[in-house]
Amino acid sequence: VFLLEDHELPLVEAAMTIRTGEIYEPAEKVGLAEITAAVLRSGGTQKIPGDALDLWLEKRAAALWAGMGDDSGWAGFHCLKEDFAEVYDVFLEVLRNPAFPQEKFELELTQQRTDIAKRNDNPTSILYREFNKAVQRTKDGKLSPYIRPTEYETLGAIRREDLAAFHKAHFHPGRFILSVTGDFNAAEVRARIEKSFGAWPEEGPKLPERPALSTKREAKL
């Protein structure tokens, strides 16, 4: 946990890095990690559905987000100083108890399929994708987990239950790095963080070994 007081403006921002990533999703379900992060945010929780959460944040001029990269995930929020306690509690509820509703899952699948349909519209994106395929492969010749593209087939293999399972396996305090900056009292915020995470089991399943990345290839004309 990193805390930095800055009293210039009555704002608070929290940013969390999560030790997870797309490299840990099954090869037959590429897209799972990104979809999990997207629906974690859009779907809300059992207490606050996603659409109600959007309105709740909007009324407070606050924002809450989540995302997923190759070898890390992220989440965070920003809000006015006076709303910090409420927004922080909702942020933790989203992280710990996401609902993953079926309708939001299907909406994200549609968005992912649309992205696939449009990805050849930009020649530069084709160049990067095919170059990565040429140089980033495992020892047995398969595509590296770092550059596996999402395909219609891999999206079709993903179910709502897979999102819940990925979340359960990867979202644990032992994999979180949390930073909070803004107009707050560091001692008070630290006490709140310790109390809120105290009842959350720190360790989940052991993280699989990080896939090796090799780009050594013979030169060809």
Side-chain angles (χ1 to χ4, degrees):
V1 174
F2 298 91
L3 304 175
L4 178 63
E5 294 185 28
D6 181 354
H7 303 287
E8 183 176 359
L9 296 172
L11 303 172
V12 180
E13 180 167 337
M16 177 178 284
T17 300
I18 306 165
R19 191 182 178 203
T20 180
E22 297 167 1
I23 59 175
Y24 300 112
E25 64 193 1
E28 68 275 13
K29 296 184 179 183
V30 175
L32 171 60
E34 183 179 357
I35 292 173
T36 298
V39 183
L40 178 140
R41 168 59 187 89
S42 67
T45 72
Q46 298 293 344
K47 295 180 179 179
I48 310 178
D51 293 340
L53 175 60
D54 292 340
L55 291 173
W56 188 88
L57 291 166
E58 184 179 346
K59 290 179 180 179
R60 290 160 178 78
L64 192 158
W65 57 85
M68 191 70 64
D70 291 341
D71 56 3
S72 66
W74 58 86
F77 67 88
H78 65 71
C79 63
L80 296 172
K81 173 184 178 179
E82 59 265 28
D83 296 322
F84 170 75
E86 280 188 310
V87 177
Y88 172 81
D89 288 345
V90 169
F91 171 68
L92 246 63
E93 182 68 15
V94 169
L95 274 180
R96 188 172 185 182
N97 298 307
F100 295 123
Q102 184 69 25
E103 65 272 15
K104 295 295 184 181
F105 167 56
E106 292 176 357
L107 181 63
E108 184 61 26
L109 282 178
T110 299
Q111 180 61 57
Q112 293 282 336
R113 292 187 178 106
T114 301
D115 291 343
I116 292 175
K118 297 191 301 183
R119 68 186 179 189
N120 288 336
D121 292 350
N122 185 335
T124 303
S125 69
I126 300 174
L127 173 64
Y128 278 115
R129 185 174 71 248
E130 295 306 316
F131 176 80
N132 284 332
K133 286 182 180 180
V135 301
Q136 294 192 37
R137 292 182 180 272
T138 59
K139 292 182 179 180
D140 57 1
K142 295 180 180 179
L143 285 179
S144 165
Y146 292 89
I147 56 93
R148 292 180 303 207
T150 304
E151 303 289 358
Y152 293 120
E153 294 81 2
T154 63
L155 292 178
I158 300 172
R159 301 292 181 266
R160 176 195 169 277
E161 293 75 17
D162 296 321
L163 276 62
F166 189 90
H167 172 268
K168 183 177 181 179
H170 291 265
F171 283 69
H172 296 276
R175 298 182 190 171
F176 295 163
I177 299 175
L178 176 63
S179 65
V180 185
T181 61
D183 191 7
F184 59 85
N185 180 282
E188 293 177 359
V189 170
R190 185 174 186 84
R192 176 177 291 275
I193 291 172
E194 290 177 347
K195 181 179 179 180
S196 60
F197 280 100
W200 190 349
E202 182 175 341
E203 297 297 336
K206 184 178 180 180
L207 193 68
E209 185 177 349
R210 185 187 181 95
L213 176 61
S214 174
T215 57
K216 187 176 181 180
R217 294 288 180 271
E218 294 182 4
K220 294 182 180 180
L221 293 177

